[in-house]
Amino acid sequence: MFYLDLIQNVALLVCLVVIHGQIIRRWNKRTISSQAFSGFLFGCVALAGMMTPVHLMPGVIFDGRSIVLSVAGLFGGPITAGMAVIMSAAYRLWLGGPGAFVGVCVVLESAGLGVAFYYLRRLYPGLTQNLYLFGFCLLVHIGMLLLMLLLPKAAMLTTLENITIPVLLVFPAAASLICLLFLDQESRVSAEAALRESEERCRTVADFTYDWEYWVGAEGNFLYVSPSCERITGYSAEEFIGDPDLMNRIIHPDDRNGMLDHYHNVRKLAPHAVESMDFRIIRRDGALLWIGHVCLPVYGQEGQLLGRRGSNRDITERKRVEKELMESEEKYRNLVEHISDVVFEIDNLGCFGYISPKLRDLAEYEPKDLIGRSFIKFVHPEDRDLLMKRFSELTKGDERPFDFRVLTKSGKTKWVRTQTKPFRKETSFLGGRGTLIDITERKRLEEDRLEMQHKLLQAQKLQSLALMAGGMAHDFNNQLAIVLGNLELVLRDGVLDLKARQKIGNAITAAKRSAGLSRQIQTYSGSAFYIPKDLDLNELAHKNEDQLKSAVSKTITLNFEIYKGLTFIRGDAIQIQSIITSLIMNASEAIGAADGDVTIRTGVMDCDAAYLGRSRLEDKPEPGRFGFLEVTDTGCGMDAETQRNLFDPFFSTKFWGRGLGMAEVMGTVKGHHGAIIVDSELGKGTTVRVLFPAPKEVQAEPVQVMDIVETQAQPSDVLGRRKTILVVDDEELVRELCVEWLELLGYASIVAVDGLEGVHLFRESMNEIDLVLLDFVMPRMNGVEAFEELVRIKPDVKVIFSSGYTEEVMRQRFSGRRPESILHKPYEMDVLKTELERLLGTDG
């Protein structure tokens, strides 16, 4: 019976939960009338439980009013609880008995604790959690058990014995369950009220918004459409609500599938997630409009999808402007990206905000590699200070163009020209826009032009001096030939005493040195007369080592790093020794009075066209194997200007009147078809490397290099067989000297004063003439023309040319057959004797 009464009270309270929810929905639960009515209902439930109580003993009853009244106070407040208390207390007093007073106290205690927690719940919403609710219900029933102590002793003991266990275990659990039901009902009603309020607010806003607002239910029907739809589509809100498919029909056919996908995606969105898209519609009047659409799903309290909330805006004008801007931007982008220059934009800190794709061609970078990075990272280190200065000037409005170098991604250096226009807001510098033009080729051409001008000037100097040298050498050597020849004839005369012979020997030495001066001028012009032989550079470098060490300052150490293998070249030993001497003296002067080292190296190397392109000579040799001679000093080094003028005649950084200097070295190397490479830097010394082509096959053993000491010619006592030589020379004294030499050598002679007479005499006596000794420069008919006539007359004619011009200059004048021998004036009688014997087969 006890538990039946409990079940009855719980069932009544569950019914009351439903009724209580309806009261809250229909009436404001905060009004006195609604609270009083709720109290009346709680009182009725309490009375219903008290009408079928459990009689523990006469006058002492037990029922579930503690649950009803505590719940009434907790959820209804003081008015609701007060109404229920009056009804319950009055009925209990009417029932009477020894337990009436305790019963009224239980009514007051249960309702009072409920009202106290009613107010506490407002201050601490967390008291509605399950654990706190059970604690509240337990507290109510502990209080009820304590009130049982007011009963008479016998009744108290019987009562506590019968109700303690259910009151402490079952009643709190049942009360907690009822509280949870009331809480759930309250939260649901509150959510519905909030939703109604929100909907009302949204409706009010939507009705007066400029955009087309709507709400679609879960089934796809329109629950609400704002009046603005008619302004945008031409259709009224009622038409959309009455015809749910109208929306799909006015969407442009090309956009319908996209809209269906959009609807599908919206149904999968989480609460508060937003989905948007643009689509086209066809108005009632047939006009095409662009709609900017935004919507989000709406979910109920239990998470069920209630529909979707949407907003549509007419963006036709915006789309038109965007299209125009896009077309304009596309034209601008195509223009920027296809012009040959690099277009860029930098901010006020010098960082790239934009840079066109042509950057790939200029510097091998992708534009994204430099976006956000400072332009200074892109600049050659030597030009960064210049760029920072120009950037500072740009911030002040300076727009002048300027040139600088950049580093490509692979480390190459390129020249660019930039012109940047600053842009600012009021007085603040915001950045700049400009272009980068690749002027590397232009700079190279400009440098080539300056180099060509320098070379042209150098070549003009060389040509002028060469012409002068050739003319002077020819006349000068003719005169020296007469002097030397006659002095040799005098020496051959045995009547002179020793003192006279010594003086004539000195005169011969001076005359030969004068011939050397002429040869030096020809060397500078690159047209010297060389006696090429197979030489070993190692021997040349070691030759006269002691004299070279004594010639340099005692503070300078002369080091020799000689190649261990063979370093054969084809050249003139005396001229190459002259190069070694000149380079060592130059290196010594570069060091000066300070301590230093001069190192001479020899070796063999294979050179390609790129390396030979560094040669200071205009004519570059063909790639191949070269023997090299290198002189390195630890001196002061040379700047770029000094290096440009290094091979100018008479140029020196030490003193004036130095002479031909390095120009003579260049002439000798040019005559040997070699190359000169100079590496120098201020403060770090200089290295000059001279390269000579290595012969493919060595024709003879390397000759021992002769000391540069003039030897006195001795007359020959050997006479050749009587063969006839035709002497053709316009210089009378030369003709007489040659005739006398030929007499001494045992040859007969016929003389002619020029080429025309020489050809005439040869035609008359060609069977008697065994060889022709022919001068190069003569009036009426020169030597080359005379030689060609002689060959036509007698193809196998033997000819020895002689001239003050160099052998190379003479050989260049022949287009067909060349003469068997060329003698460079002045020459000695023994040299003539050797050539005659070689060509005529005589042995003297």
Side-chain angles (χ1 to χ4, degrees):
M1 189 65 183
F2 176 79
Y3 290 105
L4 290 176
D5 181 71
L6 176 61
I7 294 170
Q8 174 184 319
N9 280 273
V10 170
L12 290 172
L13 283 172
V14 171
C15 295
L16 185 58
V17 169
V18 179
I19 298 171
H20 182 262
Q22 295 301 320
I23 294 173
I24 295 175
R25 288 188 180 92
R26 296 183 178 275
W27 298 320
N28 189 339
K29 68 177 182 177
R30 294 180 183 176
T31 61
I32 295 175
S33 59
S34 64
Q35 292 180 28
F37 183 70
S38 293
F40 173 75
L41 292 177
F42 276 101
C44 291
V45 172
L47 291 176
M50 293 168 65
M51 289 179 182
T52 56
V54 177
H55 294 272
L56 298 176
M57 61 183 62
V60 178
I61 63 175
F62 183 79
D63 53 50
R65 60 184 177 273
S66 60
I67 297 175
V68 176
L69 294 172
S70 62
V71 172
L74 179 61
F75 292 100
I79 297 176
T80 301
M83 178 64 70
V85 166
I86 293 172
M87 294 174 64
S88 301
Y91 183 67
R92 182 65 185 94
L93 290 173
W94 180 77
L95 290 176
F101 173 73
V102 175
V104 172
C105 290
V106 170
V107 169
L108 293 174
E109 178 263 342
S110 301
L113 286 176
V115 171
F117 270 79
Y118 171 81
Y119 287 107
L120 286 174
R121 189 162 68 109
R122 291 187 176 183
L123 295 176
Y124 307 103
L127 290 176
T128 57
Q129 294 180 6
N130 294 345
L131 184 60
Y132 294 117
L133 285 177
F134 183 80
F136 161 71
C137 298
L138 183 62
L139 180 62
V140 169
H141 291 91
I142 289 175
M144 184 181 74
L145 289 176
L146 291 175
L147 289 174
M148 296 299 109
L149 297 176
L150 299 177
L151 291 172
K153 184 175 181 180
M156 176 191 68
L157 294 174
T158 303
T159 301
L160 290 176
E161 183 182 354
N162 287 280
I163 70 171
T164 297
I165 293 177
V167 165
L168 291 179
L169 295 180
V170 180
F171 273 50
S176 298
L177 176 63
I178 297 301
C179 288
L180 289 175
L181 293 175
F182 270 91
L183 284 174
D184 180 67
Q185 183 68 29
E186 279 190 352
S187 62
R188 186 180 304 170
V189 171
S190 297
E192 292 174 358
L195 184 60
R196 284 196 301 271
E197 291 176 4
S198 175
E199 182 181 350
E200 189 62 30
R201 286 195 298 269
C202 290
R203 183 182 296 274
T204 301
V205 172
D207 283 347
F208 292 94
T209 187
Y210 189 75
D211 295 335
W212 169 17
E213 308 291 339
Y214 66 87
W215 185 4
V216 176
E219 293 77 18
N221 57 313
F222 284 98
L223 302 177
Y224 169 79
V225 179
S226 69
S228 297
C229 68
E230 190 166 0
R231 176 185 59 80
I232 296 175
T233 67
Y235 297 95
S236 66
E238 290 75 16
E239 289 179 280
F240 280 101
I241 294 174
D243 185 359
D245 194 49
L246 177 60
M247 180 69 175
N248 292 330
R249 293 203 305 273
I250 67 172
I251 295 174
H252 192 281
D254 293 343
D255 295 340
R256 285 174 187 167
N257 289 335
M259 199 63 181
L260 290 174
D261 293 339
H262 166 75
Y263 291 155
H264 182 70
N265 291 336
V266 170
R267 299 179 70 88
K268 297 180 179 179
L269 291 177
H272 310 298
V274 178
E275 181 83 3
S276 64
M277 71 171 295
D278 297 343
F279 62 93
R280 292 163 292 178
I281 66 168
I282 302 173
R283 279 175 49 90
R284 185 189 289 271
D285 59 9
L288 187 68
L289 298 182
W290 273 98
I291 298 296
H293 172 72
V294 177
C295 71
L296 71 162
V298 179
Y299 293 93
Q301 188 68 26
E302 289 79 17
Q304 75 278 18
L305 180 66
L306 301 178
R308 64 179 184 275
R309 171 79 173 78
S311 177
N312 294 333
R313 175 174 295 182
D314 183 358
I315 59 170
T316 306
E317 183 62 19
R318 192 191 80 189
K319 283 288 187 178
R320 184 188 64 79
V321 174
E322 286 179 355
K323 182 179 180 182
E324 293 177 355
L325 288 175
M326 189 177 298
E327 292 174 351
S328 176
E329 181 181 352
E330 187 65 24
K331 290 179 182 178
Y332 172 75
R333 185 175 296 277
N334 286 335
L335 175 65
V336 167
E337 293 183 356
H338 289 87
I339 61 175
S340 58
D341 304 339
V342 176
V343 180
F344 68 89
E345 181 177 301
I346 54 175
D347 60 19
N348 60 342
L349 297 178
C351 296
F352 286 107
Y354 170 79
I355 191 161
S356 66
K358 284 295 179 180
L359 178 69
R360 302 186 193 102
D361 299 333
L362 174 67
E364 303 164 10
Y365 285 100
E366 291 294 331
K368 63 181 181 180
D369 295 339
L370 296 183
I371 296 299
R373 297 179 62 189
S374 172
F375 67 86
I376 206 68
K377 306 291 185 183
F378 177 56
V379 178
H380 192 283
E382 295 178 7
D383 291 347
R384 288 177 181 174
D385 290 341
L386 168 67
L387 260 293
M388 292 305 297
K389 179 181 176 183
R390 293 295 296 127
F391 182 70
S392 176
E393 293 170 352
L394 176 68
T395 62
K396 300 172 184 176
D398 190 345
E399 303 178 18
R400 291 175 299 165
F402 63 97
D403 303 342
F404 63 97
R405 290 167 293 177
V406 299
L407 289 176
T408 68
K409 194 171 185 179
S410 60
K412 298 178 183 177
T413 299
K414 286 192 175 183
W415 277 96
V416 297
R417 173 166 295 168
T418 183
Q419 179 154 16
T420 308
K421 184 176 182 63
F423 57 91
R424 55 181 67 245
K425 184 176 182 181
E426 297 177 353
T427 59
S428 300
F429 173 73
L430 301 181
R433 298 185 182 96
T435 58
L436 295 173
I437 304 173
D438 186 352
I439 60 170
T440 306
E441 184 65 18
R442 190 186 309 173
K443 282 284 186 180
R444 187 189 65 78
L445 292 175
E446 185 177 345
E447 291 175 359
D448 289 348
R449 180 180 62 80
L450 293 175
E451 183 68 20
M452 288 299 296
Q453 286 180 346
H454 178 75
K455 288 182 178 179
L456 178 60
L457 182 61
Q458 187 79 1
Q460 289 172 343
K461 293 177 183 178
L462 287 170
Q463 185 178 14
S464 299
L465 284 174
L467 291 173
M468 180 182 69
M472 290 177 60
H474 177 265
D475 294 338
F476 189 53
N477 289 334
N478 267 343
Q479 303 307 313
L480 285 176
I482 297 170
V483 173
L484 285 171
N486 283 286
L487 288 174
E488 283 193 13
L489 289 175
V490 172
L491 279 178
R492 291 177 181 271
D493 193 345
V495 300
L496 296 177
D497 58 18
L498 180 61
K499 188 174 183 180
R501 293 177 69 85
Q502 287 177 345
K503 290 182 178 180
I504 291 175
N506 292 337
I508 291 174
T509 300
K512 287 184 177 180
R513 288 177 178 172
S514 298
L517 293 175
S518 173
R519 186 170 181 173
Q520 187 179 18
I521 295 174
Q522 290 177 316
T523 298
Y524 161 70
S525 66
S527 56
F529 183 81
Y530 300 123
I531 304 175
K533 297 179 180 178
D534 288 333
L535 306 173
D536 188 350
L537 275 177
N538 294 340
E539 294 184 19
L540 289 171
H542 269 308
K543 190 64 179 177
N544 299 327
E545 181 177 339
D546 294 337
Q547 291 110 330
L548 290 172
K549 287 183 177 179
S550 63
V552 300
S553 171
K554 293 183 179 180
T555 62
I556 296 174
T557 302
L558 201 60
N559 304 307
F560 288 86
E561 297 180 6
I562 305 302
Y563 182 62
K564 294 182 179 180
L566 297 177
T567 55
F568 285 121
I569 64 169
R570 183 80 175 168
D572 187 298
I574 295 176
Q575 293 295 330
I576 294 175
Q577 269 196 323
S578 177
I579 289 177
I580 298 173
T581 303
S582 296
L583 293 179
I584 291 175
M585 296 307 297
N586 280 351
S588 174
E589 290 179 4
I591 297 173
D595 293 340
D597 294 296
V598 175
T599 303
I600 299 96
R601 298 183 183 89
T602 61
V604 177
M605 62 186 298
D606 293 322
C607 301
D608 57 16
Y611 183 76
L612 294 173
R614 297 175 56 196
S615 172
R616 298 297 298 271
L617 293 172
E618 185 175 353
D619 296 329
K620 315 297 182 188
E622 293 294 324
R625 175 155 292 191
F626 291 78
F628 71 82
L629 174 74
E630 181 180 283
V631 177
T632 300
D633 65 68
T634 58
C636 58
M638 296 181 288
D639 58 19
E641 182 66 21
T642 302
Q643 292 187 53
R644 279 195 295 271
N645 299 321
L646 179 62
F647 295 98
D648 290 348
F650 306 104
F651 174 77
S652 174
T653 59
K654 300 300 178 182
F655 53 84
W656 290 97
R658 170 69 185 272
L660 294 174
M662 291 296 291
E664 183 180 355
V665 173
M666 174 179 275
T668 302
V669 176
K670 180 180 179 181
H672 284 77
H673 307 291
I676 302 177
I677 296 174
V678 180
D679 291 307
S680 184
E681 187 175 347
L682 278 176
K684 296 186 177 180
T686 300
T687 297
V688 180
R689 175 173 286 185
V690 182
L691 300 126
F692 301 98
K696 294 182 179 178
E697 295 181 1
V698 180
Q699 301 298 327
E701 291 296 322
V703 299
Q704 295 294 324
V705 182
M706 304 296 294
D707 291 342
I708 308 174
V709 179
E710 304 295 344
T711 58
Q712 183 173 334
Q714 298 295 328
S716 174
D717 297 328
V718 182
L719 299 179
R721 294 190 298 275
R722 298 293 291 180
K723 292 194 175 184
T724 302
I725 310 300
L726 174 60
V727 179
V728 185
D729 199 304
D730 62 323
E731 186 68 44
E732 182 179 359
L733 294 177
V734 173
R735 291 196 304 271
E736 292 177 358
L737 178 64
C738 287
V739 168
E740 193 166 353
W741 275 1
L742 291 172
E743 278 299 321
L744 289 174
L745 295 174
Y747 294 98
S749 59
I750 302 173
V751 296
V753 299
D754 56 35
L756 190 62
E757 184 180 358
V759 171
H760 175 71
L761 292 174
F762 183 79
R763 184 178 286 111
E764 290 183 348
S765 307
M766 63 178 175
N767 293 328
E768 302 174 10
I769 297 173
D770 299 288
L771 185 142
V772 180
L773 184 59
L774 188 62
D775 190 24
F776 190 65
V777 178
M778 294 178 293
R780 296 205 297 173
M781 180 181 286
N782 62 40
V784 175
E785 295 170 341
F787 175 73
E788 291 173 351
E789 286 295 323
L790 293 175
V791 171
R792 276 196 287 270
I793 295 170
K794 186 178 181 181
D796 60 346
V797 61
K798 293 180 174 60
V799 178
I800 296 177
F801 260 98
S802 68
S803 175
Y805 287 108
T806 66
E807 179 181 358
E808 182 176 351
V809 172
M810 289 189 289
R811 289 189 182 279
Q812 290 174 354
R813 300 291 299 274
F814 296 98
S815 57
R817 176 185 163 185
R818 296 182 179 182
E820 289 80 357
S821 177
I822 296 177
L823 298 180
H824 186 265
K825 294 180 181 179
Y827 53 86
E828 300 175 6
M829 187 175 70
D830 288 344
V831 174
L832 176 61
K833 174 178 177 292
T834 300
E835 287 300 296
L836 289 172
E837 291 176 351
R838 182 176 68 84
L839 294 175
L840 295 176
T842 59
D843 54 5

